């Protein structure tokens, strides 16, 4: 890291005077900045050209006099004139910090770009090196922060004493503030003028709950950060502990708070590093310690995510939980290949089914799947594609029924295969590394399986 030539700080100006020497647009720009404060703003120039009325400021039309700086906190010189020269000299003589607009080497201080949500202020400075970058950064921050965040920061400030009296545990109190400033409900209440009451209610609730833990079952989507929901992102940043599966990529886990405890329960197919019972116990233990636990699952937590067992364990232990949906792999695969899984006159529905029985035992759903006439989205079938196709045909599906496979759906390294049940039974299919969704049904033909041709040209070999 380089070293700073300036030091950012928040300077008290309340009850003091800020003097601007100048009456043109540059003076107006500075006036716009400083009239955001509660300081008395004095604008002096022999030539008042800009319209200061909208700012509620009354410029004084006259020459500058040294006594104008008496008790001034800051002075801006925003014109070139003998008055300006006098003001600069006087500022230096009287020790009033000076800013000469557009003349960096004459300045004692610069004004950063400001994102203002009083009392919250964010100042962005490039020490004059890259004002365009500073403006871009500012625009991003503007977009990120709700216009009401300042009001909510004010609520937090006004509840400080009460929060200290009601919630003794530091971590629990931090949680209260985090919820207060990030909750969409509070924001809505604030917009409706009920912010104070909603904040009090939230505080009472946190006071009662004490440091009680909670488990959020969060769908992480198919593996790209930008397919995470905003709610998932928010809760990840609130969580004290993140318990995630193997299939959730690091980039998503990284979105959690930096000091959150991260536990991979690595349930990759084949090697169960944690048994389901151990995961259940872990969740109950962490929440029992008062932690807020993000249980991150790939796709949607309620689809082949063993959520049922985890929820049962949490209910039994009396631990609060909440579920955040995610984009399930089949839906990401449909999007990747522009496959309408439901299609008028072709497929009146779609079925998400597993191709793999628990403990490798046989499944009894093949007959109903084969005869459904609906689009099938088969999960966990990559290592058994030929068997799957064989079973469907054995139960009456046409060998000509279209098939499409998407490996790494929703990720940048996605790849596809298209064919039909017969080609799966006959050919050896080589698929890339990664999880896969197998689509079967007439609607698959309506998709855009563009790079399927190149995949089909390869020699097909099933890889587990
Ligand atoms: N809850 C997850 C499914 C977990 S089961 C969801 O809703 O998506 C694991 C199976 O999901 C894998 O065997 C594979 O069939 C599928 N899967 C998960 N992520 C995938 C991805 N990015 N691309 C294709 N299939 C995926």
């Amino acid at each position: 890291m380089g070293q700073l030539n300036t030091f950012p700080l928040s300077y008290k100006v309340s009850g003091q005077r800020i003097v601007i020497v100048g009456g043109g647009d540059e003076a107006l720009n500075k006036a716009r900045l400083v009239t955001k404060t509660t300081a008395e703003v004095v604008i002096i120039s022999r030539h008042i050209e800009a319209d200061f009325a909208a700012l509620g400021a009354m410029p004084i039309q006259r020459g500058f006099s040294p006594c104008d700086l008496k008790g001034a906190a800051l002075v801006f010189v925003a014109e070139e004139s003998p008055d300006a020269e006098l003001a600069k000299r006087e500022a230096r003589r009287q020790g009033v910090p000076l800013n000469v607009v557009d003349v960096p080497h004459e300045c004692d201080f610069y004004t950063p770009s400001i994102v203002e949500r009083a009392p919250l202020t964010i100042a962005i400075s490039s020490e004059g090196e890259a004002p365009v970058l500073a403006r871009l950064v500012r625009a991003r921050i503007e977009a990120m922060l709700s216009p009401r965040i300042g009001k909510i920061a004010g609520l937090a400030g006004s509840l400080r004493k009460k929060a200290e009296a009601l919630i003794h545990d530091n971590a629990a109190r931090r949680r209260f503030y985090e919820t207060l400033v990030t909750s969409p409900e509070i924001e809505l209440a604030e917009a409706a003028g009920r912010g104070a009451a909603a904040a009090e209610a939230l505080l009472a609730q946190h006071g009662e709950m004490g440091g009680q833990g909670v488990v959020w079952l969060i769908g992480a989507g198919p593996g790209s950060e930008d397919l995470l929901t905003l709610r998932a992102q928010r809760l990840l940043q609130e969580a004290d502990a993140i318990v995630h599966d193997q299939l959730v990529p690091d980039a998503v886990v990284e979105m959690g708070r930096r000091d959150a405890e991260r536990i991979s329960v690595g349930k990759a197919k084949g090697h169960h590093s944690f048994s389901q019972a151990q995961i259940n116990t872990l969740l109950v233990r962490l929440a029992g310690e008062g932690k807020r636990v993000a249980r991150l699952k790939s796709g949607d937590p309620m689809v082949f995510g063993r959520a049922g067992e985890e929820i049962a364990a949490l209910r039994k232990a009396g631990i609060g939980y909440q579920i955040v949906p995610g984009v399930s792999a089949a839906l990401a695969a449909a999007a990747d290949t522009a496959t309408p899984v439901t299609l008028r006159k072709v497929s009146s529905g779609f079925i998400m089914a597993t191709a793999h029985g628990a403990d490798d035992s046989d499944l009894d759903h093949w007959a109903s799947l084969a005869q459904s006439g609906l689009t099938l989205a088969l999960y966990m079938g990559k290592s058994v594609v030929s068997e799957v196709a064989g079973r469907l045909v054995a139960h009456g599906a046409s060998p000509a029924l279209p098939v499409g496979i998407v490996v790494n759906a929703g990720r940048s390294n996605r790849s596809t295969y298209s064919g039909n049940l017969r080609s799966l039974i006959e050919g050896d299919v080589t698929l890339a590394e990664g999880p896969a969704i197998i689509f079967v049904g007439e609607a698959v033909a309506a998709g855009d399986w563009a790079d399927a041709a190149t995949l089909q040209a390869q020699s097909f070999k099933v890889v587990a």
Side-chain angles (χ1 to χ4, degrees), residues 241-463:
I242 301 173
V243 178
H244 62 93
D245 290 347
Q246 189 99 344
L247 267 177
V248 179
D250 291 344
V252 173
V253 179
E254 292 300 319
M255 293 171 91
R257 246 193 22 236
R258 206 167 292 183
D259 56 345
E261 189 178 342
R262 289 171 195 176
I263 304 167
S264 166
V265 289
K267 282 215 301 174
K269 195 175 153 291
H271 39 98
H272 292 228
S273 56
F274 275 64
S275 69
Q276 187 58 49
Q278 285 171 321
I279 295 174
N280 298 347
T281 308
L282 175 69
L283 296 177
V284 168
R285 177 173 67 73
L286 290 169
E289 290 167 1
K291 295 188 173 131
R292 292 169 312 158
V293 183
R295 171 72 177 106
L296 249 193
K297 291 165 179 291
S298 78
D300 183 276
M302 308 306 265
V303 177
F304 302 123
R306 311 275 309 250
E309 284 123 295
E310 291 173 16
I311 291 169
L314 296 170
R315 279 191 190 137
K316 196 167 151 217
I319 286 166
Y321 62 89
Q322 199 186 343
I323 292 141
V324 181
V327 176
S328 194
L331 299 172
D336 283 344
T337 56
T339 300
V341 288
T342 66
L343 188 58
R344 271 167 64 84
K345 302 207 168 104
V346 176
S347 174
S348 63
F350 92 110
I351 299 178
M352 295 155 127
T354 176
H356 221 104
D359 309 319
D360 292 325
S361 60
D362 204 357
L363 294 163
D364 52 15
H365 62 11
W366 294 113
S368 47
L369 291 186
Q371 284 149 34
S372 68
L374 306 177
T375 309
L376 308 180
L378 300 174
Y379 287 69
M380 294 171 279
K382 198 179 174 206
S383 58
V384 289
V385 277
S386 323
E387 291 94 320
V388 164
R391 292 232 161 88
L392 290 171
V393 170
H395 284 98
S398 159
L401 202 56
V403 167
I405 302 177
V406 184
V407 184
N408 292 314
R411 302 178 181 176
S412 55
N413 61 342
R414 69 178 68 80
S415 63
T416 61
Y417 162 84
S418 78
N420 54 33
L421 288 177
R422 186 185 303 111
S423 68
L424 286 194
I425 295 170
E426 287 172 357
D428 291 345
V429 183
T430 307
L431 298 169
E433 274 290 311
I437 286 292
I438 306 170
F439 282 129
V440 182
E442 295 296 351
V444 174
D448 178 6
W449 296 79
D451 54 349
T454 45
L455 268 167
Q456 273 176 306
Q458 297 162 10
S459 69
F460 300 128
K461 188 105 198 75
V462 175
V463 289

